[in-house]
Amino acid sequence: MSGPKVIRIVTREEIIAICQGLLARLDAAIASWTRIGERNRTISAPDIEATAARRDALRALLAKDRFKELQAQVDQEIAYLKGDTQARLEKAASAAAEAARTTRRAANTARFVLEALDKGGAAVPPDLRRRLHAAASGGNGGDSAVNEAFGLLSAAIVTVGVTKEQIDLARALGAGGPSLSLEEWLRLNNAAGDDKDTDRVEKEIAALRMRAGPGVAEIFAHRVRALHSEPLPTKRHLLADSLLVDLAATVKREEAQGVLVEELAALRAELGLLSSVAARELCGMIDAGLAMPGVPDASSLVKRAANLLAAEMRERAVASRRRAVLQGLASLGYEVSEGMATAWVKDGKVILRRAASPGYGVEITNGAAAERLQVRAVNFGGRDDARDRDMETIWCGEFERLRQIVAKSGGEVSIEKATAAGATPLKTVEGYEGYLAAVEPAAPERSLQAR
């Protein structure tokens, strides 16, 4: 038993709207995961089918009124999709960097072997020379051409650009035994061109291409080519350091933009559930922005979308709370007229008379635009302390019934603050008939039926 209360109410309608918004965000996350995965060939048809199945299972929770479970699992699924996208991109970037490294080393080997043949005076067939040139330019088939070319070196070990010790070792290996293997010869001559700086750059370039597409990565193409062609290790190291710094800045900028674009797409999905003119107009602007390269003004659109969504969702939630309270009290025997919802919006409070006890009623305040309401029993004149306490006791029981009505529909009413019954005198409201006339000035009072 208690007096005035501060309560927080969440309606079924509000919870469903929240769940629908989360499912819309999930659809946007799946679309992003699919788009990035298909562009980089990191996902397969079974992956897509499994993701769709998980989404359908989550949608089924809404139909079963398992709202809390749905909210928790949707958040987990969105987080999973983001992490899975990143993991797949990192794996693909590593594979792309390894492929680039293999191609580069094959080109270096073909070029070095061709130079060695020419300096050693070996006769190179035209077709082999053509294939070596193609391999040196990054073409396919380099391994067979290099192996064939190395056979021409068996008659005379080529030692251009190596130390005396390396020459002596090569001759020792070749005298009275099998010829030097290609792998040994490459190691002695460093023809593979192993370079950790270049490897790091290639990995970052691959990661940037996977995340932002080839257009952004292409702006570094000429610098990468200059790095590959630089023969001096010291200068190559400096070029790599400078390139890595610029790459890091670009990656950071693209990642921030990517987060903005993903959030914009998620907000667009939620706004698409609303029917207001403002929401439809903003959806059109967002669609136009998302269709443009780089999504210009993404930050501004995110702010506008977030503000509009919050305002409209808040307005819908407040309206649903008013309906739930008024319908619940109407079912408990309080006189609820059609104009009271409007008066509540206008005045920030509403006063309802108890039909069975016309001298008493209930006042609800501070709830026109907030989650929290203050509810209290009131009298309409003729104070009687004993009777007032009785009515507070009756109201306390009716309030519990109101909580049960809201809970039965899937909502929740929680008490955040309560004053003991009798701790404060019952509030007196004068001129209730005039209040009713102001609420419904042009029509007779009509009771709302509980739904």
Side-chain angles (χ1 to χ4, degrees):
M1 183 171 65
S2 64
K5 303 173 180 65
V6 176
I7 67 173
R8 183 178 185 275
I9 181 169
V10 181
T11 67
R12 171 187 173 83
E13 182 180 345
E14 183 180 354
I15 294 171
I16 289 176
I18 291 171
C19 291
Q20 289 174 335
L22 285 172
L23 288 170
R25 293 182 73 90
L26 174 60
D27 286 339
I30 291 174
S32 175
W33 174 85
T34 304
R35 182 180 65 257
I36 295 173
E38 290 182 338
R39 184 183 69 201
N40 295 291
R41 299 180 180 179
T42 59
I43 59 175
S44 63
D47 294 329
I48 296 174
E49 292 171 1
T51 299
R54 294 196 303 272
R55 177 197 58 202
D56 293 343
L58 290 173
R59 286 189 175 280
L61 295 178
L62 181 60
K64 298 175 182 177
D65 288 356
R66 293 161 62 180
F67 303 130
K68 291 183 179 180
E69 187 177 350
L70 183 149
Q71 292 178 54
Q73 291 191 21
V74 166
D75 286 340
Q76 293 172 4
E77 180 66 12
I78 291 174
Y80 166 77
L81 289 170
K82 290 181 178 180
D84 185 65
T85 296
Q86 186 62 32
R88 290 174 187 268
L89 288 181
E90 289 178 358
K91 183 178 179 180
S94 295
E98 179 62 31
R101 182 161 52 247
T102 299
T103 299
R104 171 171 53 83
R105 291 176 176 175
N108 288 342
T109 299
R111 184 168 53 252
F112 201 92
V113 169
L114 186 57
E115 290 175 358
L117 286 170
D118 289 340
K119 290 180 181 180
V124 182
D127 178 66
L128 178 57
R129 181 177 293 278
R130 178 186 58 77
R131 287 188 289 134
L132 286 172
H133 276 297
S137 300
N140 296 324
D143 289 345
S144 62
V146 168
N147 285 324
E148 185 177 343
F150 188 72
L152 299 178
L153 297 176
S154 60
I157 298 175
V158 180
T159 56
V160 177
V162 297
T163 65
K164 181 178 182 301
E165 289 76 11
Q166 289 172 331
I167 294 173
D168 291 341
L169 175 60
R171 286 174 176 168
L173 290 171
S179 300
L180 213 62
S181 70
L182 175 59
E183 290 75 13
E184 291 169 323
W185 184 86
L186 292 176
R187 176 173 52 80
L188 289 172
N189 290 276
N190 194 29
D194 291 330
D195 187 342
K196 292 182 179 179
D197 291 328
T198 306
D199 291 346
R200 290 164 57 203
V201 168
E202 286 174 343
K203 186 172 183 179
E204 291 299 320
I205 286 285
L208 180 60
R209 183 178 292 107
M210 293 286 176
R211 170 59 66 180
V216 176
E218 188 60 26
I219 64 176
F220 295 99
H222 68 287
R223 296 176 64 180
V224 173
R225 288 192 293 269
L227 178 67
H228 288 175
S229 61
E230 176 53 52
L232 297 177
T234 302
K235 187 174 181 180
R236 189 164 61 248
H237 179 71
L238 293 174
L239 289 174
D241 281 347
S242 174
L243 185 50
L244 285 168
V245 169
D246 292 342
L247 273 170
T250 301
V251 168
K252 184 177 180 180
R253 183 179 67 249
E254 291 297 323
E255 287 180 345
Q257 180 70 4
V259 170
L260 270 178
V261 170
E262 287 183 0
E263 178 61 18
L264 184 60
L267 288 168
R268 165 62 180 88
E270 288 191 87
L271 284 174
L273 300 175
L274 306 180
S275 58
S276 69
V277 174
R280 291 199 301 269
E281 289 179 348
L282 187 53
C283 282
M285 295 177 62
I286 293 173
D287 289 341
L290 291 172
M292 299 177 66
V295 190
D297 209 24
S299 179
S300 175
L301 286 173
V302 164
K303 291 178 182 178
R304 290 184 59 182
N307 289 338
L308 178 60
L309 181 64
E312 295 215 10
M313 292 297 290
R314 181 170 56 249
E315 183 177 344
R316 290 176 61 180
V318 169
S320 72
R321 294 172 200 144
R322 287 195 295 265
R323 285 193 297 271
V325 171
L326 292 177
Q327 290 167 6
L329 290 174
S331 71
L332 294 175
Y334 285 81
E335 298 173 351
V336 181
S337 63
E338 291 182 349
M340 285 183 173
T342 302
W344 191 350
V345 175
K346 179 182 176 182
D347 303 330
K349 69 177 182 179
V350 67
I351 303 171
L352 313 176
R353 182 166 56 190
R354 189 170 185 267
S357 306
Y360 291 88
V362 62
E363 180 186 68
I364 308 170
T365 60
N366 300 328
E371 293 180 353
R372 292 165 180 79
L373 316 175
Q374 184 185 68
V375 294
R376 64 186 301 168
V378 297
N379 65 41
F380 299 123
R383 178 180 299 281
D384 181 331
D385 291 342
R387 180 62 175 157
D388 287 354
R389 282 195 296 273
D390 290 341
M391 291 310 302
E392 273 199 300
T393 301
I394 292 172
W395 161 240
C396 185
E398 290 176 335
F399 175 76
E400 288 303 317
R401 289 171 61 192
L402 176 63
R403 293 179 71 178
Q404 293 170 10
I405 291 170
V406 175
K408 187 177 180 180
S409 67
E412 179 182 354
V413 178
S414 58
I415 301 174
E416 295 194 348
K417 182 179 179 181
T419 304
T424 59
L426 211 63
K427 181 179 179 178
T428 299
V429 176
E430 301 288 352
Y432 184 70
E433 295 299 332
Y435 170 78
L436 287 180
V439 169
E440 296 286 352
E445 182 177 316
R446 288 175 291 178
S447 295
L448 295 180
Q449 297 300 317
R451 296 180 182 175

